[in-house]
């Protein structure tokens, strides 16, 4: 499950036709259905002072002392200091979950030695959005989001949200249109099922998935869903060329200059809107694609990006049902029928979650379909999630109750506990 950089090493300027062809060619690659990669983000919490964000040097010092993780996950940090474990492609969901669990245990132990913990939830419930990662990319992103009218949502997305990402192979070319369309159609239902972000800056926000609310408030030319036609690769090329350029990098100095305003990448190619005194190269195109964040992103494989991070046992169950509903043919057919009536209901899913009758009915059908397709090793987690969904509840409901009883700091600390550590 790899994606080759587009035109790496080529410094010549692009034509519009070349750019479109490059994007479409690399959008989806044939791959064996069943392979899975998982990426899990967590908020880093100072258990003695949960109101403060952990300083960047502290985060870096912990990671520098870590050996190579046993499951081979890669460790990175998001702009607000959220830590991300990115597992390598695994032959099946059971292997992927087991490896990420192992690496998460090692990571938690290293952070615990410094008095820190990892909170798995879709949005920071307590601390105000604040960037701690000094990378020039993130500073430029903040400035660009402000320039296009979504400063608050941009900073919140970058610094206060956390997700579970499930990466699946594109499968055989003849099935790409249906597969990509189903990945999008499942989105609202799985947003509602995974909802674990009902709090922000110390209060209830009135949304089941505050993380998805933030994404909905962002520039939809960069973060909105694809339309789901018969030619997803061609649609991705059109989407990418119409999306505004976020920043221009200088390969020599390493600088990243924000583009303040909406300049479609196509206009930079044609010269209608010159940037940095030059036309873009294939390296600029490759980087531009990394700044686009639709809920399903084609990168040779499919990145499923719309799930809230959630504590155990929920994130393994969510990863398992996502892969089952897309990779198992019978489960996929049942899920497609169950979700047709609520396709596109992203805002309803984020706001009401499973309190919406249509989403609740679709979610129950999807969990029932997934139960027949998930591997035995993950069936207990999926059964627990199915019981939760039957009640019309989602992982964030328990955190909201904790916050109402003991405050947002209590909810944040509760999300750091593993099942073994929970009282």
């Amino acid at each position: 499950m790899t994606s080759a950089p587009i035109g790496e090493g080529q410094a010549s300027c692009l034509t519009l036709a070349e750019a479109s062809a490059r994007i479409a060619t690399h959008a989806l690659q044939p791959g064996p259905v069943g392979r899975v990669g998982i990426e899990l983000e967590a908020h880093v919490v100072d258990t003695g002072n949960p109101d403060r964000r952990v300083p960047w040097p502290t985060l870096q010092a912990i990671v520098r002392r870590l050996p190579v993780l046993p499951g081979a996950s890669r460790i990175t940090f998001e702009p607000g200091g959220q830590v991300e474990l990115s597992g390598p492609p695994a032959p099946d969901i059971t292997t992927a979950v087991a490896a990420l669990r192992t690496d998460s245990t090692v990571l938690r132990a290293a952070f615990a030695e410094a008095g820190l913990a990892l909170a798995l939830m879709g949005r920071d419930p307590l601390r105000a959005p604040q960037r701690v990662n000094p990378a020039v990319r993130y500073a430029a992103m903040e400035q660009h989001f402000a320039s296009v009218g979504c400063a608050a949502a941009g900073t919140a997305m970058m610094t206060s949200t956390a997700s579970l990402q499930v990466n699946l192979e594109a499968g055989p070319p003849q099935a790409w249109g249906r597969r990509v369309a189903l990945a999008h159609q499942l989105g609202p239902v799985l947003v509602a099922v995974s909802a674990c972000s009902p709090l922000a800056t110390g209060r209830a926000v009135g949304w089941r998935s505050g993380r998805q609310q933030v994404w909905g408030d962002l520039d939809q030319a960069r973060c909105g869903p694809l339309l789901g036609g018969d030619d997803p690769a061609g649609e991705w090329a059109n989407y990418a060329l119409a999306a505004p350029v976020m920043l221009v990098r200088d390969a020599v100095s390493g600088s990243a200059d924000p583009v303040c305003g909406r300049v479609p990448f196509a206009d930079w190619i044609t010269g209608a809107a010159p940037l940095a005194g030059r036309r873009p190269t294939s390296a600029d195109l490759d980087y531009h694609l990394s700044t686009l964040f639709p809920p399903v992103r084609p990168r040779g494989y499919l990145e499923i990006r719309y799930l809230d991070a959630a504590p155990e046992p929920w994130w393994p169950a969510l990863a398992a049902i996502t892969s089952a509903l897309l990779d198992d043919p019978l489960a996929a057919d049942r899920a497609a029928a169950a979700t047709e009536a609520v396709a596109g209901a992203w805002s309803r899913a984020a706001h009401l979650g499973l309190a919406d009758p249509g989403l609740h009915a679709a979610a129950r059908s999807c969990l029932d379909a997934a139960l027949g397709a998930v591997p035995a090793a993950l069936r207990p987690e999926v059964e627990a999630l199915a019981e939760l969904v039957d009640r019309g509840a989602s992982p964030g409901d328990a955190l909201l109750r904790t916050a109402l009883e003991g405050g947002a700091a209590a909810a944040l600390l509760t999300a750091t506990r593993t099942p073994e550590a929970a009282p």
Side-chain angles (χ1 to χ4, degrees), residues 158-301:
M158 294 169 63
T159 68
S160 296
T161 64
S163 68
L164 166 68
Q165 181 172 301
V166 180
N167 301 324
L168 302 174
E169 293 287 2
Q174 64 271 22
W176 286 348
R178 180 172 53 84
R179 187 165 169 78
V180 173
L182 179 58
H184 284 83
Q185 188 171 308
L186 284 170
V189 170
L190 294 184
V191 164
V193 170
S194 71
C196 192
S197 46
L199 304 155
T201 60
R203 61 181 181 83
V205 296
W207 293 68
R208 295 294 185 93
S209 176
R211 181 200 57 81
Q212 182 61 34
Q213 177 205 6
V214 167
W215 281 98
D217 287 344
L218 288 167
D219 180 4
Q220 294 301 286
R222 180 181 308 282
C223 303
L226 279 70
L227 296 177
D230 293 332
D231 179 20
E235 185 184 347
W236 176 234
N238 293 335
Y239 182 110
L241 292 172
V245 183
M246 176 174 277
L247 57 92
V248 177
R249 292 192 309 164
D250 186 302
V252 177
S253 68
S255 66
D257 295 325
V259 177
C260 293
R262 297 178 185 276
V263 177
F265 196 89
D267 287 359
W268 190 16
I269 291 176
T270 63
L275 297 174
R278 62 177 179 82
R279 301 285 182 90
T281 66
S282 56
D284 293 312
L285 174 60
D286 202 17
Y287 195 81
H288 172 64
L289 295 178
S290 78
T291 70
L292 306 181
F293 311 114
V296 179
R297 183 165 67 173
R299 294 192 60 195
Y301 51 93

